[in-house]
Amino acid sequence: MHLTTNHIPHYLTLIRFDRPIGSLLLLWPTLWSLWLAAGGLPSIKNLIIFTLGVFLMRSAGCAINDYADRDFDGQVKRTKDRPLATGAITKEEALSVFGLLAIAAFILVLMTNWLTIVLSLGGLALAAIYPFMKRYTYFPQVFLGLAYSWSVIMAFAAESNSLPKEVWLIYVCVVVWTVVYDTFYAMVDRKDDLNVGIKSTAILFGDYDLLITSIMQMFVVFVWLLIGYKFELGIIYYLAVIFAAGLFAFQQWRLSEGAKHIEKNAFWAFLNNNWVGLVIFLGIALDYAIR
């Protein structure tokens, strides 16, 4: 391992320790899945395992992402101060951080069941592949969605030791939702990415970005409704879906203010999805709690 204690502040920057939004966006659907699998409050053990696991794997994902983008980040305004881009740490150090965090997450998984352990290998592969996709395809956000949403499958398997067809509804929902908010995120860097040669859905969608993301958001709302039906959820959950749909509409309204404000509003819309995830989680948790 190529790690030194005097570089700890740079390692914390590498894993976005001071920017928990990525962990929260990963945590909320993981909690949806745990609650739905348990039909209410999940086991404390799984709650701890997956809360810690979310932080570890998101941090590992940041490390491998910066390793993959080390030759590009210095040319992008938002990322030019990342520790690999500035030379504050080496690529070997970034890989070591990724490896240690992935091992720590796997140790947590070993405390679950065999189904979850086997599934974790797919999650690790997706996390390692995603950062390199922006070189080859305009759909890196889809690969991020596939990777991020894998925690939904693992959490359900850990809590119920099964994978009923309903869990794939949650998975598809989270994949599409992730593509939406990561497209907003990519809209912030669209000009720089075009100059550097990085691909994204924001570039692919172009002038139709708001239309396409709004259609995807409507699809997410539709799948939320299907999830409510399949898991026999009640009025509190459906009220939460209505509220989350309102947040989606507000995001689109802010984004429609014009090109002059698009980067600022796109980043705001990305961050606002944290509240979307929280609202749906509260809808599920409270709906089960009052039964």
Side-chain angles (χ1 to χ4, degrees):
M1 294 291 180
H2 303 267
L3 300 176
T4 59
T5 55
N6 60 319
H7 283 179
I8 288 176
H10 299 307
Y11 301 149
L12 292 176
T13 301
L14 176 73
I15 66 171
R16 320 286 197 271
F17 186 78
D18 60 333
R19 298 179 181 180
I21 180 63
S23 296
L24 291 171
L25 288 169
L26 180 56
L27 177 64
W28 298 129
T30 304
L31 295 182
W32 304 351
S33 189
L34 280 175
W35 254 257
L36 290 169
L41 185 67
S43 71
I44 299 301
K45 183 186 81 168
N46 281 334
L47 191 55
I48 293 172
I49 287 172
F50 280 91
T51 300
L52 291 175
V54 158
F55 172 76
L56 290 171
M57 283 309 298
R58 185 262 179 164
S59 299
C62 290
I64 195 65
N65 180 79
D66 284 12
Y67 171 81
D69 289 350
R70 63 191 184 279
D71 296 328
F72 299 114
D73 280 346
Q75 304 173 62
V76 177
K77 180 180 178 182
R78 184 180 55 82
T79 61
K80 63 184 178 62
D81 294 324
R82 287 179 175 174
L84 265 174
T86 62
I89 62 174
T90 66
K91 60 183 181 180
E92 290 79 14
E93 287 177 296
L95 286 175
S96 295
V97 169
F98 170 73
L100 284 173
L101 291 170
I103 290 169
F106 187 67
I107 290 172
L108 287 174
V109 173
L110 291 176
M111 301 177 192
T112 59
N113 54 41
W114 279 108
L115 177 57
T116 310
I117 293 169
V118 171
L119 289 169
S120 71
L121 301 178
L124 180 61
L126 286 167
I129 290 170
Y130 151 70
F132 299 93
M133 290 299 102
K134 63 190 73 174
R135 289 170 168 78
Y136 308 109
T137 175
Y138 284 102
F139 295 99
Q141 282 68 32
V142 175
F143 284 90
L144 177 66
L146 294 172
Y148 248 41
S149 307
W150 202 250
S151 64
V152 166
I153 303 299
M154 290 176 58
F156 204 101
E159 187 64 32
S160 68
N161 199 27
S162 65
L163 285 179
K165 60 182 181 297
E166 288 81 8
V167 72
W168 299 104
L169 265 181
I170 311 171
Y171 183 69
V172 169
C173 177
V174 180
V175 169
V176 177
W177 178 44
T178 304
V179 173
V180 170
Y181 66 66
D182 203 52
T183 298
F184 294 157
Y185 195 59
M187 287 164 66
V188 178
D189 299 331
R190 183 157 44 192
K191 292 179 182 177
D192 286 335
D193 287 348
L194 280 167
N195 291 331
V196 174
I198 292 175
K199 298 177 173 65
S200 72
T201 49
I203 292 171
L204 178 66
F205 296 163
D207 293 338
Y208 298 98
D209 49 9
L210 300 190
L211 173 63
I212 295 172
T213 53
S214 64
I215 291 171
M216 288 193 290
Q217 286 175 321
M218 287 187 283
F219 176 81
V220 171
V221 173
F222 173 70
V223 180
W224 278 334
L225 295 174
L226 281 180
I227 290 169
Y229 172 74
K230 291 292 185 179
F231 286 92
E232 300 180 345
L233 299 173
I235 186 63
I236 291 181
Y237 171 76
Y238 289 107
L239 288 174
V241 170
I242 292 171
F243 193 88
L247 289 174
F248 279 166
F250 189 45
Q251 290 168 19
Q252 291 292 333
W253 179 76
R254 282 286 299 268
L255 287 165
S256 67
E257 288 183 351
K260 181 180 179 181
H261 306 287
I262 194 64
E263 292 180 5
K264 178 185 71 173
N265 288 341
F267 190 67
W268 173 87
F270 164 73
L271 295 175
N272 187 256
N273 278 278
N274 173 52
W275 300 109
V276 172
L278 172 60
V279 164
I280 295 298
F281 167 66
L282 290 176
I284 294 169
L286 292 174
D287 195 86
Y288 280 123
I290 65 169
R291 295 187 181 189

